[in-house]
Amino acid sequence: MPKKKASADLPSRDDILAFIAQNPGSAGKREISKHFKITGANRIALKRILKELAADGLVQGSRKALIRPGDLPTVFVANINARNTDGEFLAVPHEWNDEDGPAPKVVILPNRRKGTEKITAGLGDRVLLRLADQDAGPEANFAARIIRRLDKNSGNVIAILRIHPETKAAWLEPVDRKQDPVDVNPMDLNEAKDGDLVRAQIGATGRYKTKIAKITERIGSMNSEKAISEIALYTHNIPTVFPDRVIAEAESAGETKLGKREDWRSIPLITIDPADAKDHDDAVYAQIDDDPENLGGVVVYVAIADVAAYVTPGSAMDREAVLRGNSVYFPDRVIPMLPERISNDLCSLREKEERPAMGVRMVFGSDGRKRKHSFHRVLMRSAAKLSYQQAQRAIEGQTDEKTETLLDGVLRPLWEAYAVLKKGRDKRAPLELNIPERKIKLKADGTVDQIFVPERLDAHKLIEEFMIQANVCAAETLEDRRVPLLYRIHDASTPEKLQNLRDFLSTLAIKVPHQGGLRASVFNNILDRVKDTANEPMVNEVVLRSQAQAEYHPDNIGHFGLNLRRYAHFTSPIRRYADLIVHRALITALGLGKDGLPFGYEEQLEQVAGEISAAERRAMTAERETIDRLIALWLCDQIGAQFRGRIAGVTKSGLFVRLDDTGADGFIPASTLGKDYYAYEESAHALIGRATGETYQLGDAVEVKLAEAAPYAGSLRFEMESKGKHRSEALGKVATPHRSKRSHRGDKPLGLRKSKSRKKR
């Protein structure tokens, strides 16, 4: 029975849920108040009701865009995978949480407005959709119209060529497991050999239209890194070749002169980057503030490459940049967002060369709090190019010919300023996860030489904190000037994820507050309790998984992980389109030129935010998969070898294990653990033997044997060599599992799995 209204002027919870259901992704507190005519003190009561609905898991999202779990936002990415009986395309969301039930089906409606460009799409394409307020029919849950096609299904595939040694029959073994093998005409091998990675065109032949492939390009041996990264580029449809018009536009660009810019060439700004960096988009300088009213304070200068001076709205380079969204980084190469003439030349802050930049001057008090800031469009000259390790060694007393001259006047003031800013960071208490990230060093032939976890230096932290503060300044300035921008937002954990975290931590006798959401400092206290203990890796992993994913959006909800109310990306316009939008917004807001945001651009921000957020996730996945494939290739000749590692994930299907020396992830099916039946205890993140009580829990140190390596799939399968702990010896209060009628011993063989990557800030 529906609940009664709380008062004559307040809707019931059911009324509010019904309104949100009718307006998914566009029903916020303001819209609800307007629809139900809520005014005055009743707004506070409405806020309380919305908090209760969120705590009960009945709504999620920001206060400006609420949806019910299982509903879709107004704009989202989807994959076209079927047709309905009327021949209309059906799609499913590209990203969907299985805990919310089966993925909803979305029928795609035609764009009927006059003047709207027709967008063609087909089965297998990835598209950006906008929900439509229209009947979806009996075969779908929602109706939507296409905003943009993100992927193109052209009939081209990348696959491994296989040739039978005796019959010489040839076929393609696709790198995408969703595709079936396809025969190849032996006359169309195009000089490719058995085991080569090739690009092929699939066609049909004969009376019965049998599929047959024609090899159009030999990419190379599967033993090369180029072949491995090509798989990721193809699989995720990442553009690699710039159109001729884009190259021509970039090559015609000339160097920018001083003109009306401020002259910062005398400021000894320096770049500090990875040793192998090819482009440099940020430079820094700091000094003690000489203002007598700011004793102990510092002044920090950050200069960022002025990409907006070369890439103007609506130009060929601009259209290509928004399509790419960001640069993609592989161990041996970069797929840039902008042509090399721009990214590695005119916009790269090269040592001793004049470059246009957007500069921000920030003043901090001795307590680390920012007192004021100002933005400037400048011409600068980098005094030096240093690597992180080079700068760190100089501060620690190991100077070289270059850093010796910079130590007193540039490097030490930078570290003194960082010490001041760190006070403010410590008070702010952002989320401090300790999850090492693996790096791969390649040999000259493109094969793996070394896999390592780079040391986290103060030089890294210094640059990171300077960039964070510059990003905050950009968001504050644009918000104060009421100019539209793309925020970098990070929502708090959902009530469901928080409850799962509480359940797990309770097995370690760690209590988490139950009232409302949690601040980042609460998570940090949890992480401090397990620091330098056997539980540290496990707890860091579980806390990470409890977090939402950061994204871009024109509506601000703050950044939970950084514990900041306003945050935008400003510091990397060479490699991120979101930063270029923020640069243009600052130019418009501060009257710094005519190349700012075009009139009416705020109407496109939500669409662009969806596209570049999807492009970022695409790049992260491609980068992670390439590393997985390289490691699998490196390990494929070590079948049967034993390794030490830790359990990095537990599901009802089995265990994910991460190796200590390489960080490689592999899967152990539950059906191979032993003769017992192992039940999944979700709250403890453990598999527990029903008869023996043998327990395998997240974070446990184990020894495993490599049973299978599939390089082109980036997958490893292990066999467990270690005995599990007994339930009574397991960490914390591991609950006794419920009996199940089904045994994993009877399950079908499980495929290889991949681990999830760390979410970017």
Side-chain angles (χ1 to χ4, degrees):
M1 181 179 294
K3 296 180 181 179
K4 294 181 179 181
K5 292 186 178 182
S7 75
D9 298 318
L10 277 177
S12 69
R13 287 162 54 108
D14 290 342
D15 290 337
I16 294 173
L17 289 173
F19 179 72
I20 293 172
Q22 294 166 3
N23 302 274
S26 60
K29 181 182 173 184
R30 179 181 299 175
E31 289 74 19
I32 294 171
S33 298
K34 183 177 180 180
H35 177 77
F36 291 106
K37 298 181 173 58
I38 299 173
T39 59
N42 279 332
R43 289 179 179 270
I44 299 175
L46 173 64
K47 185 177 180 181
R48 187 190 68 251
I49 294 174
L50 294 178
K51 281 188 175 181
E52 291 173 353
L53 291 172
D56 292 342
L58 297 175
V59 298
Q60 59 190 34
S62 70
R63 60 185 176 86
K64 294 185 178 181
L66 295 167
I67 62 173
R68 300 179 308 169
D71 282 347
L72 292 173
T74 305
V75 176
F76 61 100
V77 178
N79 299 320
I80 300 176
N81 66 346
R83 290 181 185 269
N84 62 16
T85 52
D86 293 330
E88 298 170 304
F89 284 123
L90 295 174
V92 294
H94 178 59
E95 292 190 352
W96 183 256
N97 186 352
D98 292 337
E99 295 177 358
D100 290 336
K105 294 181 180 180
V106 183
V107 63
I108 297 179
L109 305 175
N111 289 324
R112 293 179 175 175
R113 288 188 303 167
K114 291 184 178 181
T116 301
E117 180 182 356
K118 184 178 180 181
I119 303 172
T120 58
L123 289 173
D125 282 351
R126 187 172 300 169
V127 290
L128 188 69
L129 299 179
R130 183 186 299 277
L131 286 179
D133 185 16
Q134 194 163 324
D135 182 27
E139 299 175 62
N141 308 95
F142 299 93
R145 288 188 168 86
I146 296 177
I147 297 175
R148 171 179 289 219
R149 186 182 63 190
L150 303 178
D151 287 346
K152 183 179 180 182
N153 185 0
S154 62
N156 285 308
V157 298
I158 283 184
I160 301 168
L161 175 64
R162 299 299 186 193
I163 302 176
H164 194 280
E166 297 178 1
T167 66
K168 304 303 179 184
W171 69 95
L172 296 181
E173 185 179 326
V175 298
D176 186 346
R177 291 193 167 191
K178 297 178 182 179
Q179 297 174 342
D180 296 322
V182 181
D183 289 334
V184 180
N185 188 332
M187 304 299 293
D188 292 327
L189 296 182
N190 201 11
E191 299 184 358
K193 300 176 182 178
D194 179 54
D196 281 348
L197 186 69
V198 298
R199 190 184 303 272
Q201 179 75 36
I202 295 179
T205 187
R207 179 178 179 181
Y208 299 102
K209 300 298 180 183
T210 303
K211 285 186 177 181
I212 193 164
K214 177 181 180 179
I215 294 176
T216 58
E217 179 187 357
R218 176 184 179 271
I219 297 173
S221 168
M222 273 299 296
N223 292 324
S224 71
E225 197 281 334
K226 178 184 177 183
I228 295 294
S229 59
E230 281 289 340
I231 294 175
L233 293 171
Y234 164 75
T235 303
H236 298 285
N237 198 29
I238 295 174
T240 58
V241 179
F242 286 102
D244 291 341
R245 64 184 182 279
V246 175
I247 295 296
E249 191 173 275
E251 293 298 327
S252 66
E255 294 187 359
T256 299
K257 303 300 181 182
L258 180 62
K260 296 182 180 179
R261 295 173 177 271
E262 293 183 38
D263 192 346
W264 279 23
R265 288 175 291 183
S266 62
I267 301 175
L269 293 147
I270 63 171
T271 62
I272 305 178
D273 290 296
D276 58 353
K278 295 180 180 179
D279 55 65
H280 310 276
D281 50 12
D282 58 82
V284 295
Y285 173 72
Q287 62 187 30
I288 302 300
D289 193 1
D290 57 7
D291 185 346
E293 296 185 3
N294 189 26
L295 294 176
V298 294
V299 181
V300 174
Y301 295 82
V302 173
I304 305 298
D306 191 355
V307 176
Y310 296 100
V311 183
T312 55
S315 64
M317 282 195 290
D318 184 52
R319 292 194 299 272
E320 183 69 15
V322 73
L323 178 67
R324 295 182 178 223
N326 46 248
S327 299
V328 186
Y329 293 84
F330 296 117
D332 79 321
R333 58 173 160 168
V334 177
I335 308 301
M337 184 181 77
L338 298 168
E340 189 171 330
R341 168 67 171 163
I342 302 298
S343 61
N344 290 352
D345 185 3
L346 294 177
C347 284
S348 185
L349 306 183
R350 293 179 173 178
E351 186 177 64
K352 308 298 184 184
E353 295 186 20
E354 294 182 359
R355 288 291 182 267
M358 287 287 290
V360 56
R361 181 181 184 272
M362 302 175 285
V363 179
F364 295 87
S366 59
D367 58 356
R369 296 186 63 178
K370 180 168 64 68
R371 293 192 165 196
K372 60 182 179 180
H373 70 267
S374 57
F375 281 93
H376 312 262
R377 212 167 188 191
V378 307
L379 190 69
M380 59 153 288
R381 183 191 295 114
S382 172
K385 178 186 75 170
L386 302 180
S387 69
Y388 288 114
Q389 293 77 10
Q390 190 178 14
Q392 188 71 42
R393 285 195 300 267
I395 286 295
E396 294 173 354
Q398 303 176 46
T399 57
D400 55 30
E401 185 176 346
K402 180 183 288 188
T403 56
E404 179 67 34
T405 61
L406 298 169
L407 183 59
D408 292 331
V410 178
L411 291 175
R412 283 194 176 126
L414 281 173
W415 257 256
E416 290 169 0
Y418 171 59
V420 172
L421 268 64
K422 190 175 183 301
K423 295 178 184 177
R425 179 185 176 89
D426 292 342
K427 290 177 184 176
R428 192 175 82 241
L431 184 59
E432 300 283 4
L433 286 167
N434 179 23
I435 299 182
E437 294 191 63
R438 58 191 170 167
K439 298 291 183 182
I440 292 183
K441 181 181 179 182
L442 299 177
K443 299 177 183 176
D445 63 359
T447 58
V448 175
D449 178 38
Q450 182 185 5
I451 302 171
F452 63 100
V453 175
E455 184 182 2
R456 178 87 165 143
L457 305 172
D458 281 345
H460 292 102
K461 299 174 185 177
L462 180 152
I463 294 299
E464 180 183 87
E465 189 59 26
F466 283 13
M467 297 305 114
I468 287 174
Q469 293 300 328
N471 288 336
V472 170
C473 291
E476 290 178 348
T477 295
L478 294 175
E479 201 170 90
D480 290 344
R481 299 294 180 112
R482 299 187 177 181
V483 174
L485 73 146
L486 283 186
Y487 292 94
R488 181 64 167 178
I489 63 172
H490 181 216
D491 207 350
S493 303
T494 64
E496 295 82 4
K497 287 185 176 182
L498 282 179
Q499 189 56 51
N500 290 338
L501 178 63
R502 290 187 182 100
D503 291 343
F504 166 70
L505 292 175
S506 69
T507 70
L508 304 178
I510 299 176
K511 294 184 178 180
V512 182
H514 277 77
Q515 309 222 341
L518 302 182
R519 297 175 62 86
S521 58
V522 176
F523 289 105
N524 288 338
N525 290 334
I526 294 169
L527 297 173
D528 286 340
R529 288 186 61 178
V530 298
K531 190 173 182 180
D532 299 326
T533 71
N535 294 337
E536 182 178 9
M538 170 175 57
V539 174
N540 272 269
E541 285 283 352
V542 177
V543 171
L544 171 64
R545 294 174 194 183
S546 72
Q547 303 302 304
Q549 185 169 24
E551 60 181 327
Y552 298 104
H553 204 279
D555 293 331
N556 184 30
I557 62 170
H559 196 294
F560 176 82
L562 293 175
N563 199 12
L564 292 168
R565 288 184 296 170
R566 303 175 189 87
Y567 191 64
H569 271 170
F570 159 76
T571 54
S572 296
I574 288 177
R575 62 184 180 91
R576 293 188 306 225
Y577 194 78
D579 302 55
L580 178 55
I581 291 177
V582 171
H583 276 236
R584 289 173 178 165
L586 287 168
I587 292 169
T588 297
L590 302 174
L592 298 177
K594 297 181 180 180
D595 44 4
L597 283 179
F599 179 75
Y601 192 75
E602 60 271 15
E603 297 179 2
Q604 304 177 38
L605 280 178
E606 186 175 355
Q607 174 183 333
V608 172
E611 292 180 17
I612 61 179
S613 293
E616 178 187 46
R617 291 190 291 271
R618 175 182 69 180
M620 290 169 60
T621 303
E623 292 164 3
R624 186 193 70 238
E625 288 179 355
T626 297
I627 290 176
D628 288 342
R629 290 186 174 106
L630 276 170
I631 293 177
L633 179 64
W634 191 47
L635 293 175
C636 66
D637 60 352
Q638 300 185 52
I639 302 298
Q642 293 190 1
F643 302 90
R644 291 184 177 182
R646 284 190 180 273
I647 297 176
V650 183
T651 70
K652 64 179 66 176
S653 300
L655 306 171
F656 293 96
V657 174
R658 181 166 300 146
L659 302 185
D660 291 341
D661 54 352
T662 64
D665 294 299
F667 187 67
I668 301 178
S671 58
T672 68
L673 282 176
K675 296 181 180 180
D676 201 351
Y677 166 70
Y678 290 85
Y680 176 50
E681 185 63 34
E682 184 177 8
S683 63
H685 290 260
L687 287 179
I688 306 173
R690 181 175 61 186
T692 63
E694 186 178 37
T695 300
Y696 292 97
Q697 189 177 34
L698 185 72
D700 284 351
V702 294
E703 289 194 5
V704 297
K705 181 171 68 176
L706 180 61
E708 181 182 349
Y712 57 87
S715 301
L716 302 172
R717 183 170 64 82
F718 298 132
E719 293 178 356
M720 182 64 73
E721 295 291 295
S722 298
K723 292 288 185 181
K725 299 173 296 189
H726 192 271
R727 184 186 301 118
S728 61
E729 300 171 342
L731 298 174
K733 298 175 291 183
V734 178
T736 301
H738 298 290
R739 286 182 173 268
S740 172
K741 296 180 180 179
R742 188 177 177 190
S743 169
H744 283 292
R745 298 292 294 172
D747 286 354
K748 295 180 180 179
L750 293 164
L752 300 178
R753 306 291 185 91
K754 298 175 186 174
S755 65
K756 295 183 180 179
S757 68
R758 183 179 180 183
K759 298 177 178 67
K760 289 189 177 180
R761 287 181 174 177

